[in-house]
Amino acid sequence: PALWRRHLDDTFEFLNQIRKSSSQQEICQHLISYADRFGARNVLAGPIPPPRALRREQISHVLLDAWPQQWSERYFSKGYLYRDPTIQLVKRGATPFRWSEIDQVATVCSFGRRVMAEASEFKLRDGFTIPFATLSGQAVGFSVAGEKLEPDPHDRLAFQFVAACAFGCAVILAEGKRSSTPVRLSPRQQDVLRWAAEGLTVDNIADRLNISRNTADTHLRTVRQRLGVANNVHAVAKAFRLGLIS
């Protein structure tokens, strides 16, 4: 549909802007500009630090930070990280979730409710969190929040691509280096990945390209291996970040 194509083109443009960012702060600005469409005004992302990490180590794990400063100071100084129900779900490898959905997938203790209630004092009343993992298996939390979020199904899916791309770019900037090993994809692999970016299943991709399901699946598997990622969402995000598809 034309509307879906416009949404997709818009998302791809933001991915390109993020890929060209020269600082983590610039990435945050692009993310907020993108997420503002469904009500988000703040972003925070980073790998989850190990248990019993001290405050300084916890803060050092934050890679993207556009969070209210006073709330961050309270959050880390009082040790809220390990009692935060959103972080507990991230560590469990949950699927992306609205904060309003937490009660449907987890039992929240009174202290966890206190953390969420205090966050609302800083206009972090509603949020959307995307859990994923690095290749080494480290849990990563990526959250956007505001006073009221209204993401539609497209927003939720598209923001997973945007978040994965943004986090990858932030890691590169934090490490101060870019990959020296070029990745190349065949034209057919690029085609398969572009259709995956539109949310098509393997069966749908096979139909669109007039190839067998097994062939489509093999192409996607090869793409994931070459890019060093675990799933198709991250494959699309990394391919955009590297300029392999547009």
Side-chain angles (χ1 to χ4, degrees):
L3 180 58
W4 174 261
R5 170 58 66 179
R6 286 198 298 274
H7 280 314
L8 186 67
D9 289 343
D10 193 24
T11 299
F12 287 174
E13 176 59 29
F14 269 97
L15 288 171
N16 284 325
Q17 290 177 12
I18 288 170
R19 182 166 57 87
K20 295 174 184 176
S21 297
S22 59
S23 68
Q24 288 151 276
Q25 183 179 13
E26 188 177 349
I27 292 174
C28 286
Q29 292 171 348
H30 287 312
L31 285 168
I32 292 172
S33 176
Y34 184 87
D36 180 67
R37 67 187 63 192
F38 54 86
R41 304 287 189 273
N42 304 93
V43 60
L44 188 75
I48 307 303
R52 296 179 294 279
L54 298 178
R55 178 175 180 271
R56 181 178 297 179
E57 185 179 359
Q58 292 179 26
I59 295 174
S60 72
H61 278 65
V62 176
L63 286 183
L64 294 171
D65 184 3
W67 222 234
Q69 183 178 350
Q70 288 183 317
W71 171 236
S72 292
E73 291 174 354
R74 182 192 299 185
Y75 185 92
F76 289 112
S77 65
K78 292 184 175 292
Y80 285 177
L81 178 70
Y82 301 110
R83 310 293 291 276
D84 185 340
T86 66
I87 299 301
Q88 293 173 3
L89 283 173
V90 168
K91 291 170 67 176
R92 279 172 40 185
T95 57
F97 57 91
R98 291 271 304 275
W99 292 359
S100 58
E101 300 166 347
I102 290 177
D103 282 327
Q104 301 172 26
V105 294
T107 301
V108 182
C109 68
S110 59
F111 197 100
R113 294 194 184 284
R114 171 183 164 185
V115 172
M116 300 296 287
E118 289 187 25
S120 68
E121 298 173 17
F122 296 87
K123 299 184 178 180
L124 303 176
R125 190 177 303 277
D126 195 4
F128 179 49
T129 295
I130 302 169
F132 54 92
T134 64
L135 287 177
S136 62
Q138 187 172 20
V140 172
F142 197 113
S143 293
V144 289
E147 292 197 81
K148 183 179 181 180
L149 270 59
E150 297 179 315
D152 62 27
H154 166 79
D155 290 326
R156 293 179 66 139
L157 177 61
F159 198 73
Q160 291 180 59
F161 290 119
V162 172
C165 179
F167 185 78
C169 290
V171 169
I172 288 174
L173 289 171
E175 293 177 348
K177 62 181 181 181
R178 293 191 177 269
S179 174
S180 59
T181 305
V183 177
R184 292 184 175 85
L185 300 179
S186 71
R188 179 59 85 191
Q189 289 164 350
Q190 293 175 1
D191 288 341
V192 169
L193 200 54
R194 287 192 187 98
W195 285 118
E198 294 202 39
L200 269 65
T201 65
V202 174
D203 289 329
N204 294 148
I205 292 171
D207 289 340
R208 290 292 179 97
L209 297 177
N210 196 28
I211 58 179
S212 71
R213 185 190 190 284
N214 183 62
T215 298
D217 188 52
T218 298
H219 281 315
L220 284 172
R221 235 182 4 255
T222 300
V223 167
R224 292 195 299 269
Q225 290 171 353
R226 290 187 181 180
L227 294 174
V229 297
N231 58 51
N232 293 338
V233 169
H234 291 169
V236 170
K238 188 167 184 178
F240 270 103
R241 179 162 54 84
L242 296 176
L244 299 175
I245 57 175
S246 59

